[in-house]
Amino acid sequence: MGWFKRLTEGIRTPSKEKKEIPEGLWYKCPKCGHTVISEDFEKNLWVCEKCNYHERIGSKEYFQILFDDNKFTELNPNLTSADPLKFVDTKKYVDRIKATQKKTGLKDAVRTATGKMNGDDVVIGCMDFSFIGGSMGSVVGEKIARAIDYSIEHKIPFLMISKSGGARMMEAAFSLMQMAKTSAKLALLGEAKVPYISLLTDPTTGGVTASFAMLGDLNIAEPNALIGFAGPRVIKETIRKDLPEGFQTSEFVLEHGFLDYIVERKDLKDKISQSFNLLKIK
Amino acid sequence: MAVYLPFEEPIKELEEQLEKNIKLQKEKGVDTTEIILQIEKKIDETRKQIYSNLTPWQRVLVSRHPERPYTLSYIEYLTKGNFIELHGDRGVKDDKAMVGGIGEIEGHQVVLIGQQKGVNTKMRQYRNFGMPNPEGYRKALRLMKLAEKFNKPVITFIDTPGAYPGIEAEERGQGEAIARNLMEMANLKVPIICIVIGEGASGGALGIGVGNKVYMLENTWYSVISPESCSTILWRTADYKEKAAEALKLTAQDMYKNKLIDGIIKEPVGGAHTNPEETFENVKKVVLKDLKQLKKISPEKLAEERINKFCAMGVVNEE
């Protein structure tokens, strides 16, 4: 008895939430439930106008926001994963890659490009979380390495936008070594005195945090992004305690001294431009 | 009491038999010499047979054997005691999971660094099970910079189940600490030799692993994640750890085949712990050979070669 007994009386779902929304036309904020027309949401740079929630966006959107007139030349667009380990879990890695490419229209989890930002040359690398959690395998490492090479060769500032769960398990130690590879390249970028800004967005964890994402001349982040080395679940299981409020948010990381500033998406382009300009060697 | 791994059950049985026969001879005066010799031979054969066919998961178990020698034992042997342990990261505290100092190996003055596991329950806690906090990586970096300043080669011993995932570790920037080590190590202007002596778990291992030469002992593992965690994430249960261990290609043999390490250092049959001195000698030979060779290379060239080596790692298709 009592299995189907309603414990709290009345209908508790607000009618607004219950409403069937045709996909694509409206955007409903997952944080505050505020609903806007998709077109307006895009105009607001995929940020909730009510609670300032920054929706996760990909390279397409960031390039649109940052490059003047959305004009850019993509670098090494045709690098794809080679499955060096013939990795199989519940699925073959090659099949997973193919399916993800088809679903997302992307080749891998990062795109790199060069173009103008407020009139100045810039190289931008941007990760796509929709591609296997933005995980870093050989392709991600190699594209970032080559983007840095391009920056060094042409003396153009480098901006890396991170959004990743970390290293890609299906390439195992090859993925791990991409951490060393990208960091080694950044050592050369540093020696060439070409400025590097690392923008950390929701979420940036694992091997990406433990390599290029934390190595900017400036490390900056969007508001309220999850930023950390170990994921919150792993930490919780290890210490068997609840995690403090606001743990591993951008604000937390800023407070502990690992970020230079937090920037809202609407100010992103201008503030990054300004930062690069102030770092320019005259 | 010796510790036997699950797949060493046949060895355990034989050694129990051996003990019985020794006891019989001692206490009852029965002549069991012949039997004892036979059993000893059988033990050798069985061990050889088992250890020539280890699965990746079994190697993971050997790499975690509680009697395996840890970093400080290697340092003690290699330096014959001519070693001073140095402490602290100059920022927060002294991390007991990461040890290091200055020492001399057969006339070569070097800086030695490594993760340190504890030898008993109390010490394992004291050493945080070989899981460094950010200050551990910063201590390691400080010692590497010391090495660079005084032109001493760096030797690191890798043995960690991972960088510690804790609240304070995050507050103090675990990711940043490892990242900085990767960048600084890549460009360090002295020779770096790295040896995986036990577990090489992910960024926590790589954080002291960017070397001109990187070796793995025969029964160790090195990968982006432990087989257990890999199983939990990809199969959503920990039951596939054996399968994950195979898929990850984490053994020294696979890592060498994939050109991600420079060589494999032999262990005695039965694992490093069955004859630590033999293990230390094998390590010493490799280290001495490399020191002689690497010391001839100019500081700039050393960094350049190291950077090029790691930048060549990875396999991609280019259309």
Side-chain angles (χ1 to χ4, degrees):
Chain A
M1 271 301 282
W3 278 19
F4 301 102
K5 200 173 173 231
R6 188 189 283 275
L7 292 174
T8 31
E9 291 300 318
I11 297 164
R12 296 166 55 81
T13 319
S15 50
K16 196 170 70 180
E17 272 180 35
K18 196 178 158 271
K19 205 159 47 183
E20 297 282 327
I21 300 168
E23 219 167 300
L25 268 178
W26 294 82
Y27 170 81
K28 192 174 129 198
C29 176
K31 211 174 157 206
C32 73
H34 183 66
T35 310
V36 288
I37 299 170
S38 292
E39 210 176 305
D40 291 344
F41 182 57
E42 190 179 328
K43 265 185 212 146
N44 203 36
L45 307 179
W46 303 273
V47 174
C48 175
E49 58 185 10
K50 199 171 163 212
C51 73
N52 202 30
Y53 171 75
H54 282 53
E55 180 58 88
R56 288 178 183 175
I57 53 176
S59 58
K60 180 172 170 274
E61 291 81 12
Y62 278 110
F63 285 173
Q64 189 182 320
I65 293 168
L66 295 170
F67 282 119
D68 295 346
D69 308 317
N70 200 16
K71 268 200 254 168
F72 56 87
T73 312
E74 203 170 331
L75 303 168
N76 307 294
N78 295 320
L79 291 195
T80 53
S81 174
D83 190 20
L85 301 176
K86 307 274 168 283
F87 197 93
V88 182
D89 51 87
T90 53
K91 225 189 213 185
K92 276 189 188 167
Y93 177 45
V94 272
D95 294 342
R96 203 185 282 273
I97 289 275
K98 270 186 210 140
T100 312
Q101 283 173 337
K102 207 172 155 199
K103 198 179 84 194
T104 59
L106 297 161
K107 293 270 166 67
D108 211 291
V110 76
R111 284 167 76 215
T112 53
T114 179
K116 301 265 187 201
M117 185 168 63
N118 287 330
D120 292 318
D121 285 321
V122 66
V123 173
I124 304 180
C126 183
M127 305 188 83
D128 280 291
F129 196 75
S130 58
F131 201 98
I132 318 185
S135 55
M136 168 161 66
S138 299
V139 174
V140 169
E142 185 63 23
K143 280 174 95 168
I144 293 173
R146 291 192 195 181
I148 297 168
D149 281 340
Y150 189 93
S151 272
I152 295 171
E153 195 186 332
H154 298 88
K155 297 258 174 216
I156 299 174
F158 180 52
L159 169 68
M160 184 65 219
I161 304 170
S162 295
K163 187 183 283 293
S164 170
R168 188 173 296 167
M169 259 176 284
M170 302 81 165
E171 290 184 39
F174 282 102
S175 302
L176 180 66
M177 297 310 164
Q178 303 311 306
M179 294 168 63
K181 179 198 269 186
T182 51
S183 305
K185 282 286 180 198
L186 287 173
L188 299 179
L189 187 73
E191 277 189 346
K193 300 206 185 298
V194 175
Y196 164 41
I197 293 180
S198 169
L199 169 65
L200 295 89
T201 70
D202 187 58
T204 299
T205 59
V208 167
T209 304
S211 60
F212 57 85
M214 274 293 166
L215 293 173
D217 292 307
L218 308 186
N219 295 332
I220 66 177
E222 286 189 337
N224 207 33
L226 171 73
I227 298 166
F229 172 66
R233 198 173 43 84
V234 175
I235 298 173
K236 214 171 147 177
E237 278 167 16
T238 307
I239 61 169
R240 300 206 180 96
K241 265 191 262 176
D242 280 333
L243 302 173
E245 183 95 8
F247 182 63
Q248 293 186 313
T249 57
S250 312
E251 293 71 16
F252 171 94
V253 182
L254 177 78
E255 201 48 42
H256 284 94
F258 295 96
L259 291 176
D260 288 283
Y261 57 78
I262 292 171
V263 57
E264 293 194 13
R265 207 170 276 159
K266 64 177 165 52
D267 304 321
L268 201 54
K269 184 174 181 178
D270 287 347
K271 190 132 184 201
I272 292 173
S273 273
Q274 186 191 5
S275 302
F276 275 138
N277 272 317
L278 291 169
L279 289 172
K280 223 182 248 174
I281 295 172
K282 296 197 172 173
Chain B
M1 252 310 263
V3 179
Y4 295 96
L5 299 169
F7 60 87
E8 290 179 320
E9 199 60 36
I11 301 174
K12 185 184 170 192
E13 276 167 22
L14 285 168
E15 290 201 332
E16 277 167 3
Q17 273 181 38
L18 181 71
E19 220 166 280
K20 253 186 233 160
N21 279 289
I22 293 172
K23 214 168 150 192
L24 212 60
Q25 191 168 38
K26 254 195 202 161
E27 290 174 5
K28 304 249 166 91
V30 187
D31 184 9
T32 52
T33 318
E34 190 67 16
I35 303 169
I36 287 174
L37 283 173
Q38 267 177 19
I39 297 174
E40 278 176 342
K41 203 176 144 208
K42 190 91 207 286
I43 289 174
D44 275 355
E45 283 167 3
T46 310
R47 185 173 278 138
K48 238 178 232 160
Q49 205 264 326
I50 290 175
Y51 270 80
S52 60
N53 286 304
L54 289 185
T55 65
W57 173 248
Q58 286 170 339
R59 287 205 199 268
V60 171
L61 293 178
V62 182
S63 80
R64 294 173 181 164
H65 197 288
E67 288 163 341
R68 227 180 140 78
Y70 300 134
T71 294
L72 284 172
S73 307
Y74 284 85
I75 293 178
E76 172 71 24
Y77 186 91
L78 291 176
T79 62
K80 295 201 176 89
N82 187 2
F83 171 74
I84 301 173
E85 189 178 346
L86 304 173
H87 296 273
D89 73 331
R90 299 295 185 268
V92 181
K93 58 165 77 156
D94 183 47
D95 193 328
K96 309 291 189 252
M98 184 80 81
V99 297
I102 44 179
E104 196 174 286
I105 307 173
E106 308 243 321
H108 298 277
Q109 295 179 335
V110 291
V111 166
L112 303 118
I113 300 166
Q115 287 108 355
Q116 177 70 25
K117 290 180 175 175
V119 292
N120 53 40
T121 309
K122 201 177 153 201
M123 287 307 282
R124 276 190 266 280
Q125 263 180 0
Y126 176 75
R127 298 291 184 187
N128 200 28
F129 304 91
M131 294 186 282
N133 274 284
E135 50 273 23
Y137 293 99
R138 294 189 180 117
K139 171 180 174 180
L141 181 58
R142 178 176 81 85
L143 296 179
M144 288 185 232
K145 287 287 180 187
L146 185 77
E148 189 177 48
K149 182 173 177 184
F150 296 104
N151 196 29
K152 311 291 178 209
V154 175
I155 300 168
T156 73
F157 299 92
I158 297 166
D159 190 8
T160 182
Y164 187 64
I167 290 180
E168 290 183 337
E170 295 292 322
E171 286 175 344
R172 297 200 283 268
Q174 187 74 284
E176 194 272 349
I178 293 171
R180 185 149 310 278
N181 278 22
L182 301 182
M183 185 166 78
E184 298 283 350
M185 260 188 118
N187 210 15
L188 207 75
K189 303 291 193 286
V190 288
I192 305 177
I193 302 168
C194 309
I195 304 157
V196 181
I197 58 166
E199 299 188 83
S202 198
L206 187 62
I208 56 165
V210 186
N212 294 86
K213 299 278 180 184
V214 180
Y215 297 95
M216 288 173 73
L217 288 188
E218 199 180 343
N219 298 308
T220 60
W221 70 274
Y222 192 7
S223 195
V224 74
I225 192 165
S226 73
E228 290 96 325
S229 305
C230 180
S231 167
T232 310
I233 295 173
L234 292 182
W235 282 271
R236 299 187 190 284
T237 147
D239 300 342
Y240 289 84
K241 49 187 193 275
E242 280 101 343
K243 225 171 172 178
E246 263 164 50
L248 287 168
K249 302 279 189 290
L250 44 62
T251 63
Q253 298 72 22
D254 281 324
M255 288 292 283
Y256 184 63
K257 216 185 292 164
N258 286 326
K259 300 192 178 74
L260 296 171
I261 57 165
D262 298 283
I264 302 169
I265 299 176
K266 285 284 272 180
E267 287 183 30
V269 179
H273 57 285
T274 56
N275 190 345
E277 279 207 9
E278 190 183 325
T279 312
F280 300 152
E281 265 311 313
N282 293 346
V283 167
K284 190 173 165 184
K285 265 183 224 141
V286 171
V287 166
L288 285 175
K289 189 178 115 257
D290 279 346
L291 281 177
K292 271 178 211 139
Q293 188 220 327
L294 293 171
K295 274 177 150 182
K296 288 183 202 150
I297 305 172
S298 77
E300 283 68 31
K301 193 86 188 154
L302 280 169
E304 192 189 317
E305 282 182 7
R306 200 182 305 124
I307 290 172
N308 289 343
K309 183 176 100 167
F310 280 89
C311 285
M313 291 177 186
V315 184
V316 296
N317 286 329
E318 198 154 11
E319 286 161 28

